[in-house]
Amino acid sequence: MPKNIAYLRVSTLEQNIEKNKSEILLLANDKSLGRVEFVEEKISGNIHWRKRKIGDIIESLQKGDTILLNEFSRLGRSMLECMEIISIATQKEINIYTVKGNWQLDNTIQSKVMAMVFSMVSEIERDLISKRTKEALQTKKASGVTLGRPKGPGKSKLDAHRVEIEALLKNGSTKKFIAARYSSTPANLHNWLKKNNCY
């Protein structure tokens, strides 16, 4: 049987979880989905999605399973992060339904159009991040900060891009995206970030 997971993330105690549950159950009933399992999480959206419960949900669900949300913004802290989650769900053929806006990602024509739009938005967001990063580098250089790879043994090729990597992380880029951008591996990037206290 396909799984139906309702993800409820709230960042403050004032937000009404029970109201959200009722709305999601009505949505599930309207879609004739059957039993719904609720996964609740009280955590800031500033925490990367892979370190939140939604990361485990995306990892565990399979083709034909469904994620129910009150709204898309519950997924991530930025548009790019939400787009990444939606992209992975689409690739795994996981359905996503939301109460707010009545959005749906499944096998419908609407979903295919949405997937195309999301892809475009994600690409635009990457371009904007790149532009902001270049501007930040130019500002650093103008203020006298020396850019480029430090001389000497034992240095990582990522050292030369520290300012840019920090900017990319701040703007919501994933470690997978950053590692690929600098011809590195996610594991190597992880170790470099830990060594340089860039978390």
Side-chain angles (χ1 to χ4, degrees):
M1 290 289 292
K3 292 183 180 179
N4 303 305
I5 306 293
Y7 175 64
L8 297 171
R9 177 179 67 79
V10 292
S11 55
T12 64
L13 294 175
E14 289 75 26
Q15 289 180 283
N16 193 332
I17 291 183
E18 295 306 317
K19 179 175 180 293
N20 291 344
K21 282 185 177 180
S22 298
E23 292 174 342
I24 285 175
L25 286 174
L26 286 173
L27 176 63
N29 184 61
D30 182 59
K31 301 293 183 184
S32 301
L33 295 178
R35 181 177 176 276
V36 175
E37 176 185 345
F38 285 91
V39 176
E40 301 176 22
E41 186 168 42
K42 292 185 178 180
I43 191 170
S44 170
N46 289 327
I47 304 299
H48 193 274
W49 72 271
R50 291 188 184 277
K51 296 182 179 179
R52 292 187 277 111
K53 291 181 180 180
I54 188 62
D56 295 331
I57 292 172
I58 291 292
E59 181 69 25
S60 65
L61 293 187
Q62 300 176 9
K63 178 180 179 180
D65 292 339
T66 298
I67 297 174
L68 296 154
L69 304 163
N70 185 256
E71 55 186 280
F72 270 133
S73 64
R74 296 294 86 195
L75 287 176
R77 58 183 176 176
S78 69
M79 183 183 296
L80 190 60
E81 190 166 277
C82 291
M83 294 306 102
E84 181 183 8
I85 296 171
I86 291 168
S87 175
I88 294 172
T90 301
Q91 290 172 20
K92 295 184 70 173
E93 297 186 49
I94 298 168
N95 303 318
I96 301 180
Y97 298 115
T98 71
V99 173
K100 189 174 181 179
N102 194 29
W103 294 107
Q104 58 185 51
L105 284 174
D106 45 29
N107 292 320
T108 62
I109 295 296
Q110 181 199 33
S111 297
K112 293 177 181 178
V113 172
M114 282 183 64
M116 182 179 70
V117 172
F118 287 156
S119 177
M120 292 171 61
V121 170
S122 182
E123 185 64 32
I124 291 170
E125 183 72 3
R126 288 191 193 96
D127 289 343
L128 290 173
I129 288 175
S130 179
K131 182 178 179 181
R132 289 196 296 266
T133 302
K134 287 178 181 177
E135 289 174 350
L137 288 171
Q138 289 174 351
T139 301
K140 290 275 187 180
K141 189 174 181 179
S143 63
V145 175
T146 301
L147 303 178
R149 182 174 180 175
K151 296 180 180 180
K155 301 295 183 181
S156 168
K157 65 180 180 181
L158 296 174
D159 291 342
H161 307 289
R162 176 165 182 161
V163 175
E164 186 172 349
I165 290 171
E166 289 177 338
L168 287 168
L169 286 170
K170 185 177 180 181
N171 282 289
S173 292
T174 65
K175 293 184 180 69
K176 183 178 179 181
F177 170 77
I178 295 172
R181 184 184 180 93
Y182 300 108
S183 302
S184 184
T185 64
N188 184 54
L189 175 64
H190 174 80
N191 293 332
W192 182 85
L193 290 170
K194 185 175 181 180
K195 177 183 177 182
N196 290 278
N197 297 316
C198 293
Y199 286 101

